[in-house]
Amino acid sequence: MKPRHRRIALITAGVAGLALAAGLVLRALNENLAFFYTPTQVAANEAPQNRAFRVGGMVETGSVKRQPDGVTVHFVVTDTAKRLNVAYKGVLPDLFREGKGVVTQGRLENGLFVASEVLAKHDENYMPPEAAEAMKKAQATNQKAVNTVVNPK
Amino acid sequence: MNWGSVSEFLAMGGKGLYVWGSYGVAFAVIALEIGLLVMRRHAAGKDQ
Amino acid sequence: MSSASPQAAVPVFNWFKYASPQTFFPLAGALAPWFAAIAAVLCVAGLYIGFFVAPTDAQQGESYRIIFIHVPAAWMSMLIYLAMAFWAGVGLAFNTRLSGMMATALAPTGAWFTFIALWTGALWGKPTWGTWWVWDARLTSELLLLFLYFGFMALQAAIDDPRRADKAGAVLALVGVINIPIIYFSVQWWNTLHQGSSVSLKSAPTMAMTMLTGMLVMVFAAWAYAIAAALWRVRCIILERERRSDWVRAYLGTAR
């Protein structure tokens, strides 16, 4: 083995070893690296009990209700499997919409998630408004078709 | 064409500060890098 | 080992000829202006498409236009790191002088692009997410990338002997490579506030055509700029490091 080849082998082994170590550490850290918990995880008591944490999911369509005091907003965060009631007092980000992604920080109080911060999580789709409108229409038509097939009444 | 007027273009639908703040700083950084390169080349000697 | 080897008997293009700083110096000088010109032309074209052809985004309105600088900068920040680590590794393995210089020349440009990605990301996050910064996996690993660049440059600056500086830097650069897949896949591996990739090898892009075109033109502009900047910087480094060699003295007119 030439010295040059030995050096390459050593470096390769070193990088591979480091990559493996880092991979293992990351696996161990995986749970702590999650930026937010899903409503399903909250329902399964996987979220921290006595400290603030974040919940991420979709704002359920039709669930956003402004309270009579004018500043508090109630809405439901869902991951389509479980739902979580959220209360928030403050200014919502521009992209906070029903049916869109949201990440909110706060703590659980008797099953109600009292949020101190609400962030919008937008998706990776970029399109002009006309295209979005057309897609919405197409989806609604599809849904109608599905409904007639599932419930042929 | 997206914009009816220059002011509309500059306003960026109310997000002008964010959009122009991004591009302004990005191009300032690139200009700075080029400036530093020119100075470094000058210091290294014989700059055609 | 680093000095010019005798001409190979096989009549093929000799790549190793350009592995010597002396022969690479004029080549870099000849190529750099072309890449700079390409970068300028593509940048103007990309910005024109981005601001005047690409439509408003249905979700985000006009603030999405930051994408035309943010995504190219973020991609370059990772790509330049890979190129830097590659040259550093080649230098470590083959003990070639020029590879180490290439790695050193790429680092500042990579750091600038990382800074631009973070800065434009913050200015994009505020109007869309509602916050300048969050400690999610994507943003945190990109910040770590900036520190890796800083660490690489600081370590090299701290060691006087350039060859030893190259070696130490190379080890750091190679260890840090692990961060690149972490940045890239963070949005898939973990729950992040940052959205997933709009452009990937596996599926069709989730962007309107003109938006995608503008972004890709800007990506190529960033490529060309980074190459030009690195070539210019490597010329400075060659002159600085080899200033006592005969050819540099002759070139600078400082021969005895």
Side-chain angles (χ1 to χ4, degrees):
Chain A
M1 219 179 192
K2 281 192 217 154
R4 178 193 287 174
H5 292 150
R6 200 173 56 216
R7 207 156 43 208
I8 295 172
L10 272 174
I11 292 165
T12 313
V15 171
L18 276 163
L20 193 71
L24 290 173
V25 168
L26 284 168
R27 251 183 84 95
L29 284 174
N30 207 352
E31 281 147 54
N32 295 326
L33 270 167
F35 185 65
F36 56 78
Y37 295 87
T38 60
T40 304
Q41 286 173 312
V42 176
N45 287 324
E46 283 171 29
Q49 294 300 316
N50 296 314
R51 61 179 179 86
F53 62 95
R54 293 191 190 86
V55 173
M58 217 166 71
V59 183
E60 197 175 79
T61 308
S63 74
V64 178
K65 291 193 178 67
R66 226 165 241 293
Q67 298 307 297
D69 66 357
V71 281
T72 312
V73 182
H74 281 199
F75 56 92
V76 174
V77 174
T78 173
D79 57 3
T80 67
K82 295 280 178 193
R83 310 163 74 246
L84 182 69
N85 286 302
V86 179
Y88 175 65
K89 215 180 257 193
V91 183
L92 292 163
D94 288 0
L95 285 188
F96 178 88
R97 310 256 166 86
E98 291 186 349
K100 293 286 175 192
V102 72
V103 175
T104 171
Q105 181 164 26
R107 49 179 80 230
L108 271 178
E109 285 172 20
N110 304 322
L112 178 72
F113 190 79
V114 180
S116 55
E117 186 184 37
V118 172
L119 302 175
K121 178 173 163 58
H122 63 80
D123 57 40
E124 63 274 27
N125 299 308
Y126 300 90
M127 61 181 88
E130 307 85 64
E133 196 58 42
M135 226 159 98
K136 221 189 254 169
K137 267 190 199 141
Q139 260 166 9
T141 323
N142 274 349
Q143 196 55 49
K144 246 184 234 161
V146 168
N147 288 345
T148 47
V149 171
V150 176
N151 306 315
K153 269 180 229 168
Chain B
M1 190 58 87
N2 293 315
W3 322 100
S5 65
V6 176
S7 58
E8 212 177 287
F9 176 67
L10 291 176
M12 278 289 141
K15 300 298 188 315
L17 210 62
Y18 300 107
V19 174
W20 301 124
S22 294
Y23 284 92
V25 169
F27 284 102
V29 159
I30 288 169
L32 178 65
E33 186 181 19
I34 293 171
L36 289 171
L37 275 170
V38 168
M39 278 163 61
R40 186 170 180 178
R41 183 65 185 81
H42 204 74
K46 199 184 147 195
D47 198 359
Q48 317 86 325
Chain C
M1 205 197 297
S2 54
S3 56
S5 52
Q7 280 297 305
V10 200
V12 290
F13 181 75
N14 188 0
W15 291 98
F16 285 97
K17 191 180 149 209
Y18 288 102
S20 124
Q22 183 178 354
T23 43
F24 189 71
F25 182 81
L27 179 69
L31 289 176
W34 288 102
F35 281 105
I38 292 168
V41 170
L42 287 179
C43 183
V44 170
L47 288 178
Y48 178 80
I49 297 170
F51 280 98
F52 296 103
V53 181
T56 303
D57 180 59
Q59 276 189 88
Q60 303 181 29
E62 307 302 347
S63 40
Y64 98 92
R65 292 187 197 276
I66 296 172
I67 202 172
F68 301 113
I69 186 78
H70 176 75
V71 172
W75 282 1
M76 287 317 292
S77 72
M78 294 187 274
L79 203 63
I80 291 175
Y81 191 93
L82 288 180
M84 179 182 101
F86 169 78
W87 285 119
V90 168
L92 205 57
F94 298 102
N95 214 12
T96 43
R97 279 176 301 165
L98 186 62
S99 336
M101 295 181 193
M102 280 305 292
T104 309
L106 283 162
T109 302
W112 283 125
F113 272 116
T114 313
F115 169 76
I116 293 174
L118 289 168
W119 174 268
T120 56
L123 266 78
W124 195 0
K126 188 63 184 167
T128 53
W129 300 337
T131 182
W132 304 102
W133 179 264
V134 289
W135 292 99
D136 83 348
R138 170 55 73 83
L139 278 65
T140 308
S141 53
E142 181 75 12
L143 183 66
L144 182 64
L145 181 68
L146 185 64
F147 291 141
L148 279 170
Y149 278 120
F150 285 164
F152 178 86
M153 290 189 283
L155 184 65
Q156 290 214 315
I159 302 171
D160 287 332
D161 177 8
R163 304 304 295 276
R164 285 186 53 213
D166 279 351
K167 283 198 178 119
V171 172
L172 178 71
L174 287 171
V175 171
V177 165
I178 188 69
N179 191 39
I180 299 297
I182 292 178
I183 298 174
Y184 189 78
F185 292 109
S186 56
V187 289
Q188 294 174 27
W189 290 346
W190 301 293
N191 294 332
T192 55
L193 183 61
H194 198 286
Q195 68 277 14
S197 309
S198 300
V199 180
S200 76
L201 295 174
K202 272 182 274 173
S203 54
T206 58
M207 284 175 86
M209 204 54 210
T210 43
M211 296 173 176
L212 182 67
T213 309
M215 195 180 88
L216 291 181
V217 170
M218 287 300 279
V219 166
F220 288 121
W223 263 77
Y225 170 75
I227 293 171
L231 289 177
W232 271 324
R233 194 174 287 109
V234 85
R235 271 167 68 88
C236 299
I237 294 171
I238 290 172
L239 288 184
E240 288 159 9
R241 286 198 188 176
E242 313 251 304
R243 65 178 175 275
R244 283 186 196 83
S245 70
D246 289 338
W247 77 268
V248 171
R249 282 172 194 254
Y251 172 75
L252 295 177
T254 51
R256 290 139 295 178

Coordinates of all heavy atoms in Angstrom, one line a residue, chain A residues 4-59:
Chain A
R4 N 0.2 7.3 -0.1 CA -0.9 8.1 -0.5 C -2.3 7.3 -0.4 O -3.2 7.9 0.1 CB -0.7 8.5 -2.0 CG -1.9 9.3 -2.5 CD -1.8 9.5 -4.0 NE -0.7 10.4 -4.4 CZ -0.4 10.5 -5.7 NH1 -1.0 9.9 -6.6 NH2 0.6 11.4 -6.0
H5 N -2.2 6.1 -0.8 CA -3.5 5.3 -0.7 C -3.9 5.1 0.8 O -5.0 5.1 1.1 CB -3.3 3.9 -1.3 CG -3.1 4.0 -2.8 ND1 -2.4 3.2 -3.6 CD2 -3.6 5.0 -3.7 CE1 -2.5 3.5 -4.8 NE2 -3.2 4.6 -4.9
R6 N -2.8 4.9 1.6 CA -3.1 4.7 3.1 C -3.8 6.0 3.6 O -4.8 5.9 4.4 CB -1.9 4.4 3.8 CG -2.2 3.7 5.2 CD -0.9 3.2 5.9 NE 0.0 4.3 6.1 CZ 1.3 4.1 6.0 NH1 1.8 2.9 5.7 NH2 2.2 5.1 6.2
R7 N -3.3 7.1 3.2 CA -3.8 8.4 3.7 C -5.3 8.5 3.2 O -6.2 8.9 4.0 CB -3.0 9.5 3.1 CG -3.1 10.7 4.0 CD -1.9 11.6 3.8 NE -1.6 11.8 2.4 CZ -0.3 12.1 2.0 NH1 0.7 12.2 2.9 NH2 -0.1 12.3 0.7
I8 N -5.6 8.1 1.9 CA -7.0 8.2 1.4 C -7.8 7.3 2.3 O -8.9 7.7 2.7 CB -7.0 7.9 -0.1 CG1 -6.2 8.9 -0.9 CG2 -8.5 7.8 -0.5 CD1 -6.1 8.5 -2.3
A9 N -7.3 6.1 2.5 CA -8.1 5.1 3.3 C -8.4 5.6 4.7 O -9.5 5.5 5.2 CB -7.4 3.8 3.3
L10 N -7.4 6.2 5.3 CA -7.6 6.8 6.6 C -8.6 7.9 6.7 O -9.5 7.9 7.5 CB -6.2 7.3 7.2 CG -5.4 6.3 7.9 CD1 -4.0 6.9 8.2 CD2 -6.0 5.8 9.1
I11 N -8.5 8.8 5.7 CA -9.5 9.9 5.6 C -10.9 9.3 5.4 O -11.8 9.7 6.1 CB -9.1 10.9 4.5 CG1 -7.8 11.6 4.9 CG2 -10.2 11.9 4.3 CD1 -7.1 12.3 3.7
T12 N -11.0 8.4 4.5 CA -12.3 7.8 4.2 C -12.9 7.2 5.4 O -14.1 7.4 5.8 CB -12.2 6.8 3.1 OG1 -11.4 7.3 2.0 CG2 -13.6 6.4 2.6
A13 N -12.1 6.4 6.1 CA -12.5 5.7 7.4 C -12.9 6.8 8.4 O -13.9 6.6 9.1 CB -11.4 4.8 7.9
G14 N -12.1 7.8 8.5 CA -12.4 8.9 9.5 C -13.7 9.6 9.2 O -14.6 9.7 10.1
V15 N -13.9 9.9 8.0 CA -15.2 10.6 7.6 C -16.4 9.7 7.8 O -17.4 10.1 8.4 CB -15.2 11.1 6.1 CG1 -16.5 11.6 5.7 CG2 -14.1 12.2 6.0
A16 N -16.2 8.4 7.4 CA -17.3 7.4 7.6 C -17.6 7.3 9.1 O -18.8 7.2 9.5 CB -16.9 6.1 7.0
G17 N -16.6 7.2 9.9 CA -16.8 7.0 11.3 C -17.5 8.2 11.9 O -18.5 8.0 12.7
L18 N -17.1 9.4 11.5 CA -17.7 10.6 12.1 C -19.2 10.7 11.6 O -20.0 11.0 12.4 CB -17.0 11.8 11.6 CG -15.8 12.2 12.4 CD1 -14.8 13.1 11.7 CD2 -16.2 12.8 13.7
A19 N -19.4 10.3 10.3 CA -20.8 10.4 9.8 C -21.7 9.4 10.6 O -22.8 9.8 11.0 CB -20.8 10.0 8.4
L20 N -21.1 8.2 10.9 CA -21.9 7.2 11.7 C -22.2 7.8 13.1 O -23.3 7.7 13.6 CB -21.1 5.9 11.8 CG -21.8 4.7 12.3 CD1 -22.8 4.3 11.2 CD2 -20.8 3.6 12.6
A21 N -21.1 8.3 13.7 CA -21.3 8.8 15.1 C -22.4 9.9 15.1 O -23.3 9.9 15.9 CB -20.0 9.4 15.6
A22 N -22.2 10.9 14.1 CA -23.2 12.0 14.1 C -24.6 11.4 13.8 O -25.6 11.9 14.4 CB -22.8 12.9 12.9
G23 N -24.7 10.4 13.0 CA -26.0 9.8 12.7 C -26.7 9.3 13.9 O -27.8 9.5 14.2
L24 N -25.8 8.6 14.7 CA -26.4 8.0 15.9 C -26.8 9.0 16.9 O -27.9 8.9 17.6 CB -25.3 7.0 16.6 CG -25.0 5.8 15.8 CD1 -23.9 5.0 16.4 CD2 -26.3 4.9 15.8
V25 N -25.9 10.0 17.1 CA -26.3 11.1 18.0 C -27.6 11.8 17.6 O -28.5 12.0 18.4 CB -25.2 12.2 18.0 CG1 -25.6 13.4 18.8 CG2 -23.9 11.6 18.7
L26 N -27.7 12.0 16.3 CA -28.9 12.6 15.8 C -30.2 11.8 16.0 O -31.2 12.3 16.3 CB -28.8 12.9 14.3 CG -27.9 14.1 14.0 CD1 -27.6 14.2 12.5 CD2 -28.6 15.4 14.4
R27 N -30.0 10.5 15.9 CA -31.1 9.5 16.1 C -31.6 9.7 17.6 O -32.8 9.7 17.8 CB -30.7 8.1 15.9 CG -31.3 7.5 14.6 CD -30.9 6.1 14.5 NE -31.7 5.2 15.3 CZ -32.7 4.5 14.9 NH1 -33.0 4.6 13.6 NH2 -33.5 3.8 15.7
A28 N -30.6 9.8 18.4 CA -30.9 9.9 19.9 C -31.6 11.2 20.1 O -32.5 11.3 21.0 CB -29.6 9.8 20.7
L29 N -31.1 12.3 19.4 CA -31.7 13.6 19.7 C -33.0 13.8 18.9 O -33.6 14.8 19.1 CB -30.7 14.6 19.2 CG -29.5 14.9 20.1 CD1 -28.5 15.9 19.4 CD2 -29.9 15.5 21.4
N30 N -33.3 12.9 18.1 CA -34.5 13.1 17.2 C -35.7 13.7 17.8 O -36.2 14.6 17.3 CB -34.8 11.7 16.6 CG -35.5 11.9 15.2 OD1 -35.7 13.0 14.8 ND2 -35.7 10.8 14.5
E31 N -36.1 13.2 19.0 CA -37.3 13.7 19.6 C -37.2 15.1 20.0 O -38.1 15.9 19.9 CB -37.6 12.8 20.8 CG -38.3 11.5 20.4 CD -37.9 10.4 21.4 OE1 -38.1 10.6 22.6 OE2 -37.4 9.4 20.9
N32 N -36.0 15.5 20.5 CA -35.8 16.9 20.9 C -35.7 17.8 19.7 O -35.8 19.0 19.9 CB -34.6 17.0 21.8 CG -34.7 16.2 23.0 OD1 -35.8 16.2 23.6 ND2 -33.7 15.6 23.5
L33 N -35.4 17.3 18.5 CA -35.2 18.1 17.4 C -36.5 18.5 16.7 O -36.6 19.4 15.9 CB -34.3 17.5 16.3 CG -32.8 17.8 16.5 CD1 -32.0 16.8 15.7 CD2 -32.5 19.2 16.1
A34 N -37.6 17.8 17.1 CA -38.9 18.1 16.6 C -39.3 19.5 17.0 O -39.3 19.8 18.2 CB -39.9 17.1 17.0
F35 N -39.6 20.3 16.0 CA -39.9 21.7 16.3 C -41.3 21.8 16.9 O -41.6 22.6 17.7 CB -39.9 22.5 15.0 CG -40.1 24.0 15.2 CD1 -39.2 24.7 15.9 CD2 -41.2 24.6 14.7 CE1 -39.4 26.1 16.1 CE2 -41.4 26.0 14.9 CZ -40.5 26.7 15.6
F36 N -42.2 20.9 16.6 CA -43.5 20.9 17.1 C -44.1 19.5 17.3 O -43.5 18.5 16.7 CB -44.5 21.7 16.3 CG -44.6 21.3 14.8 CD1 -45.3 20.2 14.5 CD2 -43.9 22.0 13.8 CE1 -45.4 19.8 13.1 CE2 -44.0 21.6 12.5 CZ -44.7 20.5 12.2
Y37 N -45.1 19.3 18.1 CA -45.8 18.1 18.2 C -47.1 18.1 17.4 O -47.7 19.2 17.2 CB -46.1 17.8 19.7 CG -44.9 17.6 20.6 CD1 -44.3 18.7 21.1 CD2 -44.4 16.4 20.8 CE1 -43.1 18.6 21.9 CE2 -43.3 16.2 21.6 CZ -42.6 17.3 22.1 OH -41.5 17.1 22.9
T38 N -47.6 17.0 17.0 CA -48.8 16.9 16.3 C -50.0 16.7 17.3 O -49.7 16.2 18.4 CB -48.8 15.8 15.2 OG1 -48.6 14.6 16.0 CG2 -47.7 15.9 14.3
P39 N -51.2 17.1 16.9 CA -52.3 16.8 17.8 C -52.4 15.4 18.2 O -52.8 15.1 19.4 CB -53.5 17.2 17.0 CG -53.0 18.3 16.1 CD -51.6 17.9 15.7
T40 N -52.1 14.4 17.3 CA -52.1 13.0 17.7 C -51.1 12.7 18.8 O -51.4 12.0 19.8 CB -51.7 12.1 16.5 OG1 -52.6 12.5 15.4 CG2 -51.8 10.7 16.8
Q41 N -49.9 13.3 18.8 CA -48.9 13.1 19.8 C -49.4 13.7 21.1 O -49.2 13.2 22.2 CB -47.6 13.8 19.4 CG -46.8 13.0 18.4 CD -45.6 13.7 17.9 OE1 -45.7 14.9 17.6 NE2 -44.5 13.1 17.9
V42 N -50.1 14.9 21.0 CA -50.6 15.5 22.2 C -51.7 14.6 22.9 O -51.7 14.4 24.1 CB -51.2 16.9 21.9 CG1 -51.9 17.5 23.1 CG2 -50.1 17.8 21.4
A43 N -52.6 14.1 22.0 CA -53.6 13.2 22.5 C -53.1 12.0 23.2 O -53.6 11.4 24.1 CB -54.6 12.8 21.4
A44 N -51.9 11.5 22.7 CA -51.3 10.3 23.3 C -50.3 10.7 24.4 O -49.6 9.8 24.9 CB -50.5 9.6 22.2
N45 N -50.5 11.9 24.9 CA -49.6 12.4 26.0 C -48.1 12.3 25.8 O -47.4 12.1 26.7 CB -50.0 11.6 27.3 CG -51.3 12.0 27.9 OD1 -51.7 13.1 27.8 ND2 -52.0 11.0 28.4
E46 N -47.8 12.5 24.5 CA -46.3 12.5 24.2 C -45.7 13.9 24.4 O -44.5 14.0 24.4 CB -46.1 11.9 22.8 CG -46.2 10.4 22.7 CD -46.2 10.0 21.2 OE1 -45.6 10.6 20.4 OE2 -46.8 8.9 21.0
A47 N -46.5 14.9 24.4 CA -46.0 16.2 24.6 C -45.7 16.5 26.0 O -46.3 15.9 26.9 CB -47.1 17.2 24.0
P48 N -44.8 17.5 26.3 CA -44.5 17.8 27.7 C -45.7 18.3 28.4 O -46.5 19.0 27.9 CB -43.5 18.9 27.5 CG -43.1 19.0 26.1 CD -44.1 18.3 25.3
Q49 N -45.8 17.9 29.7 CA -47.0 18.2 30.5 C -47.0 19.5 31.1 O -47.9 20.3 31.1 CB -47.2 17.1 31.5 CG -47.5 15.7 31.0 CD -48.8 15.7 30.1 OE1 -49.8 16.3 30.5 NE2 -48.8 15.1 28.9
N50 N -45.8 19.8 31.8 CA -45.8 21.0 32.6 C -45.0 22.2 32.1 O -44.6 23.1 32.8 CB -45.4 20.7 34.0 CG -46.4 19.7 34.7 OD1 -47.6 19.9 34.6 ND2 -45.8 18.6 35.2
R51 N -44.7 22.1 30.8 CA -44.0 23.3 30.2 C -44.5 23.6 28.9 O -45.3 22.8 28.3 CB -42.5 23.0 30.2 CG -42.1 21.8 29.3 CD -40.6 21.7 29.3 NE -40.1 20.6 28.5 CZ -40.0 20.6 27.2 NH1 -40.2 21.7 26.5 NH2 -39.6 19.5 26.5
A52 N -44.1 24.7 28.4 CA -44.7 25.2 27.1 C -44.1 24.3 26.0 O -42.9 23.9 26.0 CB -44.3 26.6 26.8
F53 N -44.8 24.1 24.9 CA -44.4 23.3 23.8 C -45.1 23.8 22.5 O -46.0 24.7 22.7 CB -44.5 21.8 23.9 CG -45.9 21.4 24.1 CD1 -46.7 20.9 23.0 CD2 -46.5 21.4 25.3 CE1 -48.0 20.5 23.1 CE2 -47.9 21.0 25.5 CZ -48.6 20.5 24.4
R54 N -44.7 23.3 21.4 CA -45.4 23.8 20.2 C -46.3 22.7 19.6 O -45.9 21.5 19.6 CB -44.4 24.2 19.1 CG -43.6 25.5 19.5 CD -42.8 26.0 18.3 NE -41.9 27.0 18.7 CZ -40.7 26.8 19.1 NH1 -40.2 25.5 19.2 NH2 -39.9 27.8 19.5
V55 N -47.4 23.1 19.0 CA -48.2 22.2 18.3 C -48.3 22.6 16.8 O -48.5 23.8 16.6 CB -49.6 22.2 18.9 CG1 -50.6 21.3 18.1 CG2 -49.6 21.6 20.3
G56 N -48.2 21.7 15.9 CA -48.3 22.1 14.5 C -49.4 21.2 13.8 O -49.6 20.1 14.2
G57 N -50.0 21.8 12.9 CA -51.1 21.1 12.1 C -51.8 22.0 11.2 O -51.2 23.1 10.8
M58 N -53.0 21.7 10.9 CA -53.8 22.5 10.0 C -54.9 23.2 10.8 O -55.4 22.6 11.7 CB -54.4 21.6 8.9 CG -54.4 22.3 7.5 SD -54.8 21.1 6.3 CE -56.5 20.7 6.6
V59 N -55.2 24.4 10.4 CA -56.3 25.1 11.1 C -57.6 24.5 10.5 O -57.8 24.6 9.2 CB -56.2 26.6 10.8 CG1 -57.4 27.3 11.5 CG2 -54.9 27.2 11.3

